[in-house]
Amino acid sequence: MAKALKLLLSCQSSILSGNALKLCSVSRLQSCAVAQSFPKCLATIAASPSPRAHCTLSAAMTEQKQGLFRVSNRSSHKTQISSLSTEVDKEISKFLEKEIQYEKSRSSGSLPPIPDFNITTNDADITLTKSFGSEKIIIRFTVNGAVDSVMPEAQSGQAEEPPQMVCRPPFEVELSKGDGKILALQCTFPAVDDTIEDTGQHNLQNEDQFEIQEVAIHDGEWKDTTYSVSAATMDAELFDLLMDMLDERGINDEFIAQLVDYCTAYETQKYINFLGSLKNLAEK
């Protein structure tokens, strides 16, 4: 009897401390002995689990459910974002496919030559070189940001054509006579709509297809500290003589037409390649 009472008090203490699972560790034989001695007490204890254990279990179950809900909700959110991104990627791919076909239909697929010049390219940068007697002539430019929209001349009785994209990059001419000194001339194109209206109400375009913007002499690199002369403040006669000097070396209106044709074709190729790369990226 004393042994059973001692066992009962031990079980009750464990239950009140919140460790309800220890009741299950009592052997079947001991449980029968306790039940025979104190049936009413055991029934009361069994029917009254520890409030802390019940509260802890409920809280754990509730927290687990909330955690599962958050995980499920987050997963659903990610799925929605992924689905949305996939749909946008598909739309981009479809658009680019049409754009690539359109650009290819307007491109000849080949680059026109620029006679007398050797051409080297480095992505968007282009360098032209040639010799003139003992001189070395180098022309540098980039096609980045050099595309203009030009309206073609309207033909009588024909519908207006869409604007054409023409690449007219500013360029730098370097003239070297082998003594280490380089005469550098920064040249640019006049604006497309630059015209002069005379008294007869006729629009006359500037005679030259390009113009000198700035001139400097340096030792191989045009630095920020290099002294330069702006064409805007240059004597008009000196400006014309410098233009004639370029003309003598084949940098004239004919060369400019060839340069524009080459740059337009080259920039179109780069643009088509860019669209293709963007399309491949969208499809991954």
Side-chain angles (χ1 to χ4, degrees):
M1 182 67 179
K3 185 177 180 180
L5 180 59
K6 184 177 180 181
L7 180 61
L8 176 62
L9 292 175
S10 175
C11 292
Q12 184 177 7
S13 176
S14 298
I15 294 171
L16 292 177
S17 65
N19 194 357
L21 296 178
K22 286 188 177 180
L23 182 60
C24 298
S25 64
V26 181
S27 66
R28 183 179 302 177
L29 181 60
Q30 291 172 333
S31 296
C32 291
V34 173
Q36 290 175 0
S37 302
F38 302 94
K40 293 183 180 180
C41 184
L42 184 61
T44 302
I45 294 173
S48 303
S50 169
R52 183 187 299 176
H54 177 74
C55 180
T56 304
L57 183 59
S58 285
M61 293 179 65
T62 302
E63 185 177 355
Q64 185 179 9
K65 290 180 179 178
Q66 291 177 348
L68 290 174
F69 174 76
R70 285 195 296 268
V71 171
S72 176
N73 196 29
R74 190 183 302 117
S75 177
S76 175
H77 182 61
K78 287 183 178 180
T79 303
Q80 291 176 0
I81 292 177
S82 177
S83 177
L84 178 63
S85 178
T86 301
E87 291 301 321
V88 173
D89 290 349
K90 289 179 180 179
E91 291 298 324
I92 290 176
S93 179
K94 290 180 181 178
F95 172 82
L96 291 176
E97 184 175 357
K98 296 178 182 178
E99 185 73 7
I100 291 172
Q101 291 177 356
Y102 174 75
E103 290 295 335
K104 285 184 176 181
S105 67
R106 293 166 58 91
S107 172
S108 62
S110 60
L111 298 175
I114 302 180
D116 302 327
F117 282 93
N118 295 322
I119 304 174
T120 58
T121 62
N122 181 17
D123 207 3
D125 293 344
I126 302 174
T127 303
L128 310 179
T129 58
K130 82 169 187 175
S131 297
F132 180 77
S134 61
E135 293 181 9
K136 184 177 181 180
I137 301 174
I138 301 176
I139 302 176
R140 309 176 194 273
F141 54 90
T142 177
V143 297
N144 282 342
V147 178
D148 290 326
S149 176
V150 179
M151 291 296 298
E153 295 183 2
Q155 302 293 332
S156 59
Q158 295 182 358
E160 291 187 1
E161 296 183 8
Q164 298 177 352
M165 306 307 293
V166 178
C167 185
R168 306 192 311 160
F171 57 94
E172 180 179 326
V173 181
E174 295 181 353
L175 306 179
S176 174
K177 295 191 176 185
D179 60 352
K181 294 293 183 181
I182 295 176
L183 173 63
L185 304 97
Q186 289 185 351
C187 302
T188 187
F189 290 84
V192 176
D193 56 351
D194 278 354
T195 56
I196 301 175
E197 188 173 336
D198 63 6
T199 55
Q201 302 300 319
H202 295 292
N203 292 332
L204 301 176
Q205 293 185 349
N206 294 332
E207 292 182 0
D208 295 315
Q209 298 300 308
F210 73 102
E211 58 190 21
I212 298 172
Q213 192 173 40
E214 202 168 2
V215 182
I217 297 176
H218 57 76
D219 297 326
E221 182 181 359
W222 192 327
K223 302 177 182 178
D224 293 338
T225 56
T226 302
Y227 176 76
S228 61
V229 178
S230 173
T233 59
M234 188 183 298
D235 184 88
E237 185 175 357
L238 177 59
F239 179 87
D240 290 339
L241 288 172
L242 290 174
M243 290 291 290
D244 291 342
M245 183 178 70
L246 293 178
D247 188 15
E248 270 189 344
R249 288 157 176 78
I251 305 172
N252 47 31
D253 289 348
E254 182 181 359
F255 164 78
I256 291 299
Q258 297 166 352
L259 176 68
V260 171
D261 288 344
Y262 178 88
C263 290
T264 300
Y266 183 79
E267 197 280 334
T268 301
Q269 283 189 1
K270 299 299 293 183
Y271 181 61
I272 293 173
N273 291 338
F274 165 78
L275 295 179
S277 298
L278 184 59
K279 183 175 182 295
N280 292 336
L281 186 64
E283 291 175 349
K284 288 184 178 180

